[in-house]
């Protein structure tokens, strides 16, 4: 682990004293300076109540650290830092990721998580501890006494590197630029002298995380841009457009403390490294209080009348629309998707603090037709702090191919899930199936109970009513501010959670519980024979429609590319996958045709997986699509 200046900072001892045999269940941190903070009268009602009344509890990681430190030194750990478990080809397996000292920690809570291209490293960022505790992970408190809120985590070693970002990044958007750098727009004003000295208001912030050339991501850092957003934004969604230059920044509210919606979309241009236009959209005005992290997906087609037009599916709670954006940044609403079409009145789906959503695999045999699926959600009209708020037990799907959109044939279908689930995350696998993890069976955001420990496998190709399979379960609670994403080895990385289990409705606010443990979930295909191995690739960049030659060992039947994740609050803003056309496949060499255009897959870095039926290769190769 390295510090801000790159010097080596050894991991500090676990909170277990081998001389005395005492486990204190406290973090051990090197701290410099003093910490001054006070509650502000401008805090949001719920958070202000929680600040005044809530207590902190020892995290699972702290307890686990004590157990790990007291365990024999030869406890079985495999070469990737996993705990050994029993292989299960039908249910998959959860494994805690540990570093060389036997600890499991991402450094900061994994509230925002972005997979960094050409690597397996993940950029995390969070906020200072809201209970004002000094129980931070080793190395997180900097030399000036201020806790940092960003880390670069390597799940192959279990080690993290702390990074500096003092323009408060809590609840930003997150996405990649076409060159792989990470853009984080918006943030919070929960900073300054009120909680952690050294932080400034980040609600209009524009930040880039980048690495040196040559160099690795853990050697990089944040760069605060000189230009700012036109409006303050807390919980905005970011979407890279097909031209690879513009990023749409959509929705959010003024701040955590001021719940006024921001019903506009801003266009960030990589050409100018700033915002070039802002427009108020009637659709976003209609979202009203449900404007936090709206779902925004680029549809894989353009207009035959006005080529270059981008179609975007925008949705929140129970309604949305297909919007059009011209190359000159002019908005228009093309198709309405009113709440009257939503088949589950009284429940919200696919919005922050509720359900999760993704676009299914784009298949060339189906003309790259888009279809969206949403899982779970919460009951409307209930108090936000009610631990007993019902969760939605349905998944909803809508086909969004060009013909359906042009002819306004947009309709939801729904199917029952194994049980109601909220605050869950969905991860799109290389075989086109989905894994759902995290969340709770009852409640919302900071007040939830009955943790959803088991993973679900969802097969969109199966018949309705038989698409869900219950897989293995973890024993770690992952409530609000948890994340999940796909890694290049086709496993899932699961991290985060800031809250404990709600105990007594609103009378006793839920305890803070800052979860730093990282897990990997290995889907059933990890334990099946015949995973191909990529041995060579003809190029690491390719134009649309061009061919790429890949050498391999084993058996290969198809190939897919998947965009690296940029996920927070159940919204993976980058999640997208497309199957590639196989031009030829003989003698351990497969020739693949890249997607036909940038509307199918946006420009930038993607993971290339070779497939043996539904079984992915052992490790993806990174390929950059360019116009």
């Amino acid at each position: 682990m390295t510090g801000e200046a790159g010097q080596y900072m050894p991991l500090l001892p676990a909170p277990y004293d081998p001389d005395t045999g005492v486990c204190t269940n406290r973090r051990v941190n090197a701290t410099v300076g003093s910490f001054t903070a006070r509650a502000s009268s401008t805090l949001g009602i719920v958070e202000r109540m929680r600040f005044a009344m809530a207590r902190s509890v020892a995290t699972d990681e702290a307890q686990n650290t004590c157990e790990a430190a007291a365990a024999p030194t030869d406890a079985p750990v495999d070469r990737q830092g996993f705990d050994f478990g029993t292989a299960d080809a039908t249910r998959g397996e959860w494994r805690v990721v540990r570093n060389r000292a036997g600890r499991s920690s991402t450094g900061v809570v994994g509230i925002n998580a972005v997979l960094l291209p050409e690597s397996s490293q993940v950029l995390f960022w969070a906020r200072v501890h809201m209970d004002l505790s000094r129980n931070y992970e080793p190395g997180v408190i900097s030399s000036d006494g201020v806790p940092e809120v960003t880390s670069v985590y390597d799940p192959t070693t279990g080690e993290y590197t702390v990074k500096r970002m003092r323009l408060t990044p809590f609840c930003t958007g997150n996405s990649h630029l076409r060159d792989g750098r990470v853009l984080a727009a918006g943030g919070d004003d929960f900073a300054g002298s009120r909680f952690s000295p050294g932080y400034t208001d980040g609600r209009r912030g524009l930040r880039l995380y980048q690495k040196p050339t040559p160099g690795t991501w853990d050697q990089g850092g944040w760069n605060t841009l000189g230009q700012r957003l036109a409006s303050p934004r807390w919980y905005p969604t970011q979407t890279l457009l097909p031209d690879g230059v513009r990023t749409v920044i959509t929705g959010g509210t003024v701040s955590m403390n001021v719940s006024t919606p921001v019903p506009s979309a801003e266009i960030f241009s990589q050409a100018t490294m700033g915002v070039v236009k802002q427009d108020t959209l009637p659709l976003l005005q209609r979202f009203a209080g449900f404007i936090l992290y709206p779902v925004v997906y680029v549809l894989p087609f353009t207009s035959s009348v006005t080529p270059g037009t981008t179609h975007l599916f925008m949705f929140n709670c129970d309604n949305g629309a297909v919007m059009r954006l011209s190359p000159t940044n002019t908005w228009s609403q093309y198709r309405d998707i009113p709440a009257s079409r939503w088949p589950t009145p009284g429940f919200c789906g696919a919005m922050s603090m509720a359900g999760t959503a993704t676009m299914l695999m784009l298949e060339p045999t189906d003309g790259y037709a888009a279809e969206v699926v949403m899982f779970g959600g919460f009951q409307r009209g209930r108090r936000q702090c009610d631990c007993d708020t019902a969760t939605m037990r349905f998944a909803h799907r809508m086909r969004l191919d060009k013909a359906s959109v042009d002819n306004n044939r947009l309709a939801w279908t729904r199917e029952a899930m194994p049980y109601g689930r909220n605050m869950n995350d969905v991860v799109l696998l290389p075989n086109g199936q989905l894994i759902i993890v995290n969340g709770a069976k009852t409640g919302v955001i900071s007040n939830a109970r009955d943790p959803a420990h088991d993973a679900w496998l969802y097969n969109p190709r199966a018949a309705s009513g038989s698409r869900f399979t219950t897989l293995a379960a973890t024993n770690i609670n992952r409530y609000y501010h948890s994340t999940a994403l796909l890694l290049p080895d086709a496993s899932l990385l699961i991290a985060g959670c800031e809250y404990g289990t709600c105990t007594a409705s609103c009378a006793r606010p839920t305890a803070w519980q800052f979860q730093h443990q990282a897990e990997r979930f290995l889907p059933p295909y990890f334990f099946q024979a015949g995973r191909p191995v990529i041995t060579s690739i003809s190029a690491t960049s390719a134009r649309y429609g061009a061919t790429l030659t890949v050498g391999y060992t084993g058996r290969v039947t198809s190939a897919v590319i998947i965009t690296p994740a940029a996920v927070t609050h159940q919204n993976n803003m980058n999640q997208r996958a497309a199957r590639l056309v196989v031009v030829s496949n003989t003698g351990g060499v497969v020739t693949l045709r890249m997607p036909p255009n940038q509307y199918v897959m946006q420009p930038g870095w993607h993971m290339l997986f070779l497939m043996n039926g539904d079984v992915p290769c052992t490790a993806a190769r990174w390929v950059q699509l360019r116009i």
Side-chain angles (χ1 to χ4, degrees), residues 323-383:
M323 301 294 295
R324 278 179 161 175
L325 180 62
S326 75
T328 56
N329 297 328
T330 299
W331 289 94
S332 62
Q333 182 167 309
Y334 185 46
R335 294 288 181 255
D336 191 23
I337 308 174
S340 59
R341 298 186 187 180
W342 184 248
T344 313
F347 283 83
C348 277
M351 60 163 293
S352 174
M353 301 172 287
T356 186
T358 189
M359 185 182 290
L360 296 179
M361 177 85 73
L362 298 169
E363 301 278 359
T365 54
D366 193 25
Y368 301 102
E371 187 169 3
V372 169
V373 60
M374 301 181 179
F375 299 96
F378 78 110
Q379 188 174 9
R380 296 186 63 169
R382 297 291 295 271
R383 291 185 305 161

Side-chain angles (χ1 to χ4, degrees), residues 428-460:
L428 180 58
L429 301 178
N431 58 18
Q433 299 180 41
L434 313 174
I435 295 285
I436 296 95
V437 293
N438 300 340
K441 302 174 184 178
T442 309
V444 295
I445 57 162
S446 58
N447 292 284
R449 60 164 60 103
D450 300 326
H453 283 155
D454 50 359
W456 295 341
L457 178 69
Y458 180 82
N459 184 353

Side-chain angles (χ1 to χ4, degrees), residues 213-525:
T213 303
T216 58
W217 288 106
D218 55 331
Q219 297 169 336
W222 287 103
N223 175 30
T224 299
L225 300 183
Q227 299 193 53
R228 303 200 300 165
L229 291 173
S231 296
R233 294 183 188 272
W234 184 68
Y235 282 66
T237 295
Q238 294 177 199
T239 311
L240 179 66
L241 294 181
D243 60 17
V245 176
R246 296 173 297 166
T247 296
V248 175
I249 302 165
T250 312
T253 64
V254 169
S255 75
M256 182 176 70
N257 309 314
V258 181
S259 58
T260 303
V262 184
S264 62
E266 299 186 41
I267 307 295
F268 171 86
S269 173
Q270 189 173 342
T272 63
M273 283 300 170
V275 171
V276 294
K277 197 169 187 286
Q278 176 180 228
D279 292 280
T280 297
L281 304 183
L283 173 65
L284 299 180
Q285 291 177 313
R286 191 173 81 191
F287 285 165
F290 297 102
I291 203 169
L292 304 178
Y293 288 128
V295 171
V296 182
Y297 297 144
V298 171
L299 297 183
F301 55 83
T302 186
S303 170
S304 55
V305 178
T306 55
T309 296
T310 301
H311 293 75
L312 296 109
F313 169 76
M314 292 186 178
F315 195 88
N316 228 336
C317 188
D318 58 7
N319 71 101
V322 174
M323 301 294 295
R324 278 179 161 175
L325 180 62
S326 75
T328 56
N329 297 328
T330 299
W331 289 94
S332 62
Q333 182 167 309
Y334 185 46
R335 294 288 181 255
D336 191 23
I337 308 174
S340 59
R341 298 186 187 180
W342 184 248
T344 313
F347 283 83
C348 277
M351 60 163 293
S352 174
M353 301 172 287
T356 186
T358 189
M359 185 182 290
L360 296 179
M361 177 85 73
L362 298 169
E363 301 278 359
T365 54
D366 193 25
Y368 301 102
E371 187 169 3
V372 169
V373 60
M374 301 181 179
F375 299 96
F378 78 110
Q379 188 174 9
R380 296 186 63 169
R382 297 291 295 271
R383 291 185 305 161
Q384 193 176 17
C385 57
D386 191 346
C387 304
D388 300 315
T389 297
T391 55
M392 185 161 61
R393 61 184 183 91
F394 295 108
H396 296 77
R397 284 172 68 163
M398 176 179 283
R399 191 171 170 88
L400 289 160
D401 61 287
K402 191 175 189 304
S404 296
V405 174
D406 285 345
N407 297 309
N408 202 18
R409 296 195 303 264
L410 303 176
W412 291 105
T413 60
R414 74 174 190 177
E415 55 194 308
M417 304 193 306
Y419 52 78
R421 196 162 186 164
N422 195 9
M423 298 177 290
N424 46 330
D425 287 275
V426 59
V427 177
L428 180 58
L429 301 178
N431 58 18
Q433 299 180 41
L434 313 174
I435 295 285
I436 296 95
V437 293
N438 300 340
K441 302 174 184 178
T442 309
V444 295
I445 57 162
S446 58
N447 292 284
R449 60 164 60 103
D450 300 326
H453 283 155
D454 50 359
W456 295 341
L457 178 69
Y458 180 82
N459 184 353
R461 299 187 295 269
S464 180
S466 60
R467 292 171 177 155
F468 286 95
T469 302
T470 298
L471 302 179
T474 180
N475 61 0
I476 298 177
N477 298 347
R478 301 283 186 185
Y479 294 123
Y480 198 46
H481 290 161
S482 299
T483 48
L485 55 84
L486 183 73
L487 291 172
D489 70 348
S491 70
L492 278 65
L493 177 66
I494 292 90
C497 184
E498 270 197 323
Y499 299 96
T501 297
C502 177
T503 55
S505 191
C506 293
R508 186 183 183 192
T510 305
W512 296 102
Q513 186 166 349
F514 305 106
Q515 180 57 260
H516 296 98
Q517 284 191 105
E519 297 172 280
R520 287 174 96 166
F521 180 73
L522 280 57
Y525 53 58

Side-chain angles (χ1 to χ4, degrees), residues 35 41 60 94 109 126 141 183 209 241 252 262 267 282 328 336 366 394 437 491 499 521 531 554 556 561 597 610:
F35 181 85
S41 61
D60 291 339
W94 292 84
V109 177
I141 297 181
L183 174 67
Y209 189 88
L241 294 181
V262 184
I267 307 295
T328 56
D336 191 23
D366 193 25
F394 295 108
V437 293
S491 70
Y499 299 96
F521 180 73
R531 294 189 70 183
V556 167
I561 56 171
N597 56 61
L610 297 185

